[in-house]
Amino acid sequence: LMTLGLVKPRYQAVSDLKRHIDYLKRNRLDPSEFMDALWTRLAYPLGAIAPAFLALPFAFGFLRSGGFGKRLMIGIVIALTYYFFARMISDLAGVYKLNLAIANLVPPLLLILGGTTYLVRSR
């Protein structure tokens, strides 16, 4: 238990996070910081695939609609906006005691939905 308290939640393994969350719940303490770290870690694969999926329309879309620099700039802006939006939603869910699982899964799903919509419209 002491070693779990020394390591920041975002650096702990999923099994350690679950164990610490269970301990905090049994002792009626607030596990929100550890739950946020757990759901951030569990949603990470989806959050890594979503930007790659969104890049598909820019890579295979109309190549004559703009230069490479324009598409690169749009991709960078979308990626930065996604990163800050996902972090903001997760932090707001922690502040307002909302479901952290939903808060960590909604941004990548929105990004996949946007990529799908853009891919369908560009064809």
Side-chain angles (χ1 to χ4, degrees), residues 3 6 10 12-13 20-21 33 46 74 82 95 97 99-100 108 113 117-118:
T3 58
L6 295 175
R10 65 180 175 192
Q12 291 181 6
H20 207 140
I21 289 168
E33 182 180 2
L46 186 63
I74 290 171
Y82 165 73
V95 168
K97 307 288 187 219
N99 190 342
L100 293 169
L113 179 68
T117 305
Y118 186 70

Side-chain angles (χ1 to χ4, degrees), residues 43-95:
Y44 183 78
L46 186 63
I49 291 171
F53 185 75
L54 184 66
L56 290 176
F58 292 102
F60 299 115
F62 296 112
L63 297 178
R64 296 182 186 196
S65 65
F68 176 73
K70 176 184 171 184
R71 289 184 299 189
L72 181 65
M73 185 63 189
I74 290 171
I76 290 171
V77 168
I78 289 173
L80 287 173
T81 303
Y82 165 73
Y83 174 76
F84 289 122
F85 176 72
R87 196 69 241 154
M88 179 189 68
I89 293 296
S90 178
D91 290 344
L92 284 174
V95 168

Side-chain angles (χ1 to χ4, degrees), residues 1-7:
L1 185 62
M2 286 294 279
T3 58
L4 288 176
L6 295 175
V7 180

Side-chain angles (χ1 to χ4, degrees), residues 19-32 34-35 97:
R19 205 169 347 141
H20 207 140
I21 289 168
D22 290 339
Y23 171 78
L24 291 171
K25 283 182 178 179
R26 276 186 307 218
N27 290 309
R28 297 180 187 193
L29 298 171
D30 182 28
S32 62
F34 294 93
M35 292 195 60
K97 307 288 187 219

